[in-house]
Amino acid sequence: MTVNEYNQCVDKYADGLYRYLLKNLRDEDTSKDLVQESFMKLWEKHTELDFAKSKSYLFTTAHHTMIDFLRKNRRMQVREIQEHETGFNNRHYSDLKEVLNAAVERLPHDQRTVVLLRDYEGYNYKEISEITGLSESQVKVYIFRARTALKKYIVHPETVI
């Protein structure tokens, strides 16, 4: 990959990578840091990588970097989940986007990841499988379960009122 191709990668994929990480982590600063780290890793391997595979490499790297970050900060994550679950039922939403974002946040990490990659970023099952390290059938199962959970959550009138 040349320097110009690397710069094209930054222009094309930085926003999508940031959105993906932000949806999973819900922390702007950490998401920005992980995007930078992913591009740093891409630069370190730019002589070995083909430009055509740079998008997949970036999302795979970002996914693994995010997993490493979450493992290191597991205690903080558990605390946030507990706070989220205790105050969640008292909220009422009138904006559908807020309802959908709240529903996505309630999904387990693996389900949230595959749904975001599929529905927000437009990856196919094979690409998601390569990024996450899951089998294609497991990706399909997670997407099905996540969409079912989203439908069940959104159907309840008290979440939309």
Side-chain angles (χ1 to χ4, degrees):
M1 173 183 320
T2 65
V3 174
N4 287 335
E5 290 173 334
Y6 176 81
N7 290 333
Q8 287 177 2
C9 286
V10 172
D11 292 339
K12 283 183 178 179
Y13 307 128
D15 290 338
L17 205 58
Y18 173 72
R19 282 191 313 269
Y20 168 70
L21 292 169
L22 184 62
K23 284 286 185 184
N24 275 292
L25 297 172
R26 296 178 299 276
D27 182 358
E28 291 180 10
D29 293 332
T30 303
S31 298
K32 288 177 185 177
D33 290 343
L34 295 182
V35 167
Q36 289 295 326
E37 192 171 333
S38 299
F39 276 105
M40 183 182 70
K41 289 178 182 179
L42 176 67
W43 179 251
E44 290 171 354
K45 298 222 180 220
H46 81 281
T47 57
E48 304 167 22
L49 290 172
D50 183 27
F51 176 67
K53 296 185 179 189
S54 59
K55 182 178 180 183
S56 177
Y57 178 83
L58 274 170
F59 274 86
T60 302
T61 302
H63 177 76
H64 290 291
T65 305
M66 177 182 61
I67 297 288
D68 291 342
F69 172 80
L70 291 174
R71 285 182 182 148
K72 289 177 186 175
N73 298 301
R74 187 167 295 205
R75 286 181 296 176
M76 183 174 59
Q77 181 185 14
V78 169
R79 189 177 335 125
E80 288 176 3
I81 289 172
Q82 289 171 344
E83 291 172 4
H84 177 71
E85 288 177 352
T86 57
F88 189 76
N89 292 332
N90 297 331
R91 296 187 207 162
H92 294 287
Y93 294 98
S94 59
D95 186 15
L96 186 57
K97 184 177 179 181
E98 290 179 16
V99 172
L100 186 57
N101 285 336
V104 169
E105 287 178 15
R106 291 178 55 99
L107 293 173
H109 176 72
D110 289 336
Q111 291 179 12
R112 181 174 54 239
T113 298
V114 295
V115 164
L116 291 173
L117 287 171
R118 176 74 177 164
D119 296 335
Y120 282 74
E121 299 300 328
Y123 281 104
N124 63 40
Y125 296 121
K126 184 177 181 183
E127 292 170 326
I128 295 170
S129 173
E130 292 171 2
I131 290 170
T132 60
L134 300 169
S135 68
E136 279 188 61
S137 59
Q138 192 63 44
V139 168
K140 291 176 184 178
V141 168
Y142 282 164
I143 289 174
F144 174 78
R145 289 179 182 167
R147 288 178 178 166
T148 301
L150 290 173
K151 287 176 191 175
K152 285 180 182 177
Y153 177 80
I154 292 174
V155 168
H156 295 298
E158 61 271 4
T159 60
V160 182
I161 296 175

